Amino acid sequence: MKTSKNAAIGFIFVTMTIDVIGLGLIIPVLPTLIAQLKHVSIEAASEWGGFLMFAYAAMQFLFAPMVGNLSDKYGRRRVILISLVGFAVDYVILALAHNYMLLLVGRILSGITGASFTAATAYIADISTKETRAKNFGLIGAAFGLGFIIGPALGGLLSIWGLRAPFWAAAVLCLVNFVYGYFVLPESLKPENRRPFDWKKPIRWGHCCILRKTKPLSVL
């Protein structure tokens, strides 16, 4: 059981790292790629690149609560694995994109599938004990930091083989992680602990009002 938990935590760590890599991977190649697709200067391409980054972040903001709620109903494992496949498909779209709109579609899909970090952190909560909770969530923080380092660095290094190379490499990485997770990742949420999916719950902004009741939290 301990070995199984360690393998699961390792898988979640890699998955979270891949999620964050998706944000930074395209940074080194984005200006040149946009300039080629839209036939504009590098300076003009920066504005269009900003839209792509915004699309990625906005989709995560909108879909993170929904993905988390889906994992409450269908289980963490299923949602995480489907998200990895979605990530791989997204990177293939980015690698094959022949116009700016396809890049935008790819970033939107990437943001949606990247919202699986909610299911991944819920998985960590499911399998953690009082003694290991802080350590395990510390690994999540480390995954974020590592992803932000690896993403731009990997994009820059792989661009030696072409502007599309980072996307193909990321797609392969996601598929390999999916296969690994399919065999080693057990479900962490027992059927009796699941609940029906409520379409209204992910968008209940009233939850934010809870912060008003505790001043230290509201300041944070």
Side-chain angles (χ1 to χ4, degrees):
M1 179 64 70
K2 185 176 180 180
T3 303
S4 178
K5 278 192 175 182
N6 288 338
I9 291 172
F11 172 81
I12 295 298
F13 177 82
V14 173
T15 300
M16 295 291 290
T17 304
I18 290 175
D19 283 356
V20 183
I21 285 174
L23 181 62
L25 183 73
I26 67 171
I27 291 176
V29 300
L30 190 60
T32 305
L33 184 58
I34 293 175
Q36 289 182 2
L37 293 178
K38 293 195 72 67
H39 307 289
V40 296
S41 66
I42 294 293
E43 291 77 11
S46 63
E47 181 178 347
W48 296 101
F51 286 129
L52 294 183
M53 302 299 287
F54 171 78
Y56 181 92
M59 290 303 102
Q60 286 212 339
F61 176 76
L62 293 173
F63 282 89
M66 189 173 295
V67 172
N69 275 267
L70 285 172
S71 75
D72 286 341
K73 178 177 181 180
Y74 298 107
R76 321 296 189 202
R77 181 180 186 273
R78 185 182 302 181
V79 170
I80 292 171
L81 292 179
I82 291 175
S83 294
L84 279 172
V85 174
F87 244 140
V89 171
D90 158 63
Y91 284 125
V92 171
I93 292 174
L94 292 174
L96 298 175
H98 55 80
N99 58 51
Y100 179 82
M101 287 308 298
L102 280 178
L103 282 182
L104 182 60
V105 169
R107 285 286 85 184
I108 289 173
L109 288 176
S110 182
I112 294 172
T113 53
S116 60
F117 71 84
T118 51
T121 52
Y123 191 103
I124 292 295
D126 291 340
I127 65 174
S128 296
T129 62
K130 281 186 177 182
E131 293 75 22
T132 63
R133 184 172 291 114
K135 179 187 73 173
N136 291 343
F137 276 97
L139 285 175
I140 297 297
F144 270 87
L146 186 61
F148 276 120
I149 294 171
I150 291 177
L154 182 63
L157 289 172
L158 293 177
S159 65
I160 297 173
W161 289 277
L163 294 176
R164 313 293 180 127
F167 304 126
W168 289 115
V172 171
L173 187 62
C174 287
L175 288 176
V176 169
N177 199 33
F178 166 79
V179 173
Y180 175 68
Y182 184 84
F183 290 105
V184 305
L185 188 69
E187 178 54 61
S188 65
L189 187 63
K190 296 179 181 180
E192 60 268 24
N193 294 330
R194 300 182 187 185
R195 60 175 179 78
F197 180 79
D198 183 356
W199 284 99
K200 296 179 181 179
K201 189 165 186 178
I203 54 175
R204 282 180 187 165
W205 298 100
H207 286 159
C208 296
C209 295
I210 296 174
L211 298 177
R212 293 183 179 179
K213 298 179 180 179
T214 308
K215 190 175 180 179
L217 285 179
S218 63
V219 171
L220 288 174

